[in-house]
Amino acid sequence: MDKFSLPREELILEVLEKYNTMVYRLAFSRTKSVHDAEDIMQNVFIKFIKCNVNFESDDHIKAWLIRVTINLSKNLLTSVWFKRTTTLEEDIVVTLKEDSEVYKYVLDLPNKYRTVIHLFYYEDMSTASISEVLNIKESTVRSQLHRARNMLKEKMKGDECLEF
């Protein structure tokens, strides 16, 4: 039986289980806040539950979730409310692949570079897939990856533990 012929509730539960970590990690990489990432993840899945899109494949669902996550993150980061808030100092505990020194450097990158690095390395997406999801040219994705890698190398030069 094809998953897309499942009852809507079963499809929703399967998508929630399969993609919740991906959505959270992407939201966290864009917002650098555990709480904002959790809020965005919740809103993404609320939008998914309410949407009337006929998804053709798992890749279509994944691309839709990534696009919505990026849009909601962008909306939050550019909102007047967000610009007037101050961040609370918190110890960020990340128990995924992101729990590394390298990921802390990735979080210091500008958002557009952080997004392509995250999708390429942490979500194992190809440059063609990233291009499609972000609606930019594949050559732009490759050049952003190249620039981001160079920025990371430069930032990590002084860290003896992370020498290349």
Side-chain angles (χ1 to χ4, degrees):
M1 182 176 198
D2 181 17
K3 95 164 47 176
F4 298 102
S5 60
L6 290 173
R8 180 90 172 132
E9 295 81 21
E10 288 182 35
L11 176 64
I12 289 168
L13 288 174
E14 189 173 319
V15 168
L16 283 169
E17 284 181 29
K18 185 172 183 179
Y19 295 110
N20 68 352
T21 303
M22 178 202 70
V23 170
Y24 172 79
R25 290 187 314 196
L26 181 58
F28 178 78
S29 78
R30 294 186 54 84
T31 63
K32 302 183 198 178
S33 165
V34 171
H35 305 294
D36 290 337
E38 289 170 348
D39 289 345
I40 289 169
M41 181 178 73
Q42 180 179 345
N43 289 332
V44 167
F45 287 111
I46 288 171
K47 283 186 175 288
F48 178 76
I49 291 167
K50 290 181 177 181
C51 81
N52 289 323
V53 177
N54 289 323
F55 295 101
E56 300 157 9
S57 66
D58 278 340
D59 288 340
H60 186 198
I61 292 172
K62 184 177 180 179
W64 188 90
L65 291 170
I66 290 170
R67 184 77 255 159
V68 172
T69 303
I70 289 170
N71 288 344
L72 290 176
S73 300
K74 188 186 300 182
N75 291 348
L76 174 72
L77 296 172
T78 59
S79 71
V80 172
W81 173 85
F82 184 80
K83 289 179 182 177
R84 292 185 179 190
T85 61
T86 58
T87 58
L88 296 173
E89 293 300 317
E90 60 182 279
D91 292 329
I92 297 176
V93 178
V94 183
T95 58
L96 306 168
K97 288 188 226 177
E98 292 82 354
D99 190 20
S100 70
E101 289 299 314
V102 175
Y103 198 72
K104 291 174 183 148
Y105 287 107
V106 170
L107 290 177
D108 287 338
L109 293 174
N111 225 347
K112 68 181 180 179
Y113 300 123
R114 196 167 54 230
T115 301
V116 294
I117 286 286
H118 180 85
L119 293 175
F120 188 78
Y121 289 106
Y122 293 92
E123 301 304 331
D124 297 322
M125 293 178 69
S126 67
T127 55
S129 298
I130 296 169
S131 164
E132 191 175 308
V133 168
L134 297 181
N135 199 25
I136 57 178
K137 293 180 183 178
E138 190 172 355
S139 60
T140 304
V141 172
R142 286 192 302 269
S143 69
Q144 287 179 353
L145 280 170
H146 178 74
R147 288 184 190 124
R149 288 180 194 121
N150 286 342
M151 287 179 193
L152 287 171
K153 283 180 187 177
E154 197 61 39
K155 288 178 183 276
M156 290 189 269
K157 269 187 180 174
D159 197 335
E160 301 83 33
C161 300
L162 298 172
E163 288 297 325
F164 289 97

